[in-house]
Amino acid sequence: RDTWANAKPDPAAAAGAAAAAEAEADAKYKYGGDAKAQRDVPDFLRCELRVGEVLSAEPHPDAEALYIEKVDCGDAEPRTIVSGLARYPNP
């Protein structure tokens, strides 16, 4: 008696395979070409660098080493960034 003949596909496995295929297609769109080939690309080439204008920088209320910064990067709203720059002296 063969029990595999009556086996039904697992919907969760099919959803996982579909998600993996979608991620692969997304990587091809973002990086151009085969996503597996991207493993050979150094990490610093995958970084997205942006330039923005610092609108304000204030000390963090709960941490001495942190600043809370508002940065205009050209998006609809300024970004709020928390950085550890308070440890370094001002120029």
Side-chain angles (χ1 to χ4, degrees):
R1 175 178 117 179
D2 186 11
T3 57
W4 290 104
N6 298 326
K8 295 181 182 170
D10 181 11
E22 184 177 335
E24 179 79 16
D26 186 46
K28 283 183 182 180
Y29 173 75
K30 283 183 181 176
Y31 304 117
D34 188 10
K36 293 179 183 171
Q38 291 298 318
R39 292 183 195 149
D40 298 333
V41 176
D43 288 338
F44 69 90
L45 291 177
R46 296 181 191 181
C47 293
E48 179 180 336
L49 301 177
R50 292 185 178 201
V51 176
E53 178 183 0
V54 178
L55 303 175
S56 67
E58 302 171 358
H60 193 284
D62 299 329
E64 293 179 6
L66 300 178
Y67 281 137
I68 300 173
E69 302 144 0
K70 297 282 186 184
V71 179
D72 181 9
C73 294
D75 297 332
E77 304 253 337
R79 291 177 179 242
T80 301
I81 299 173
V82 178
S83 68
L85 297 176
R87 290 183 245 181
Y88 302 101
N90 293 332

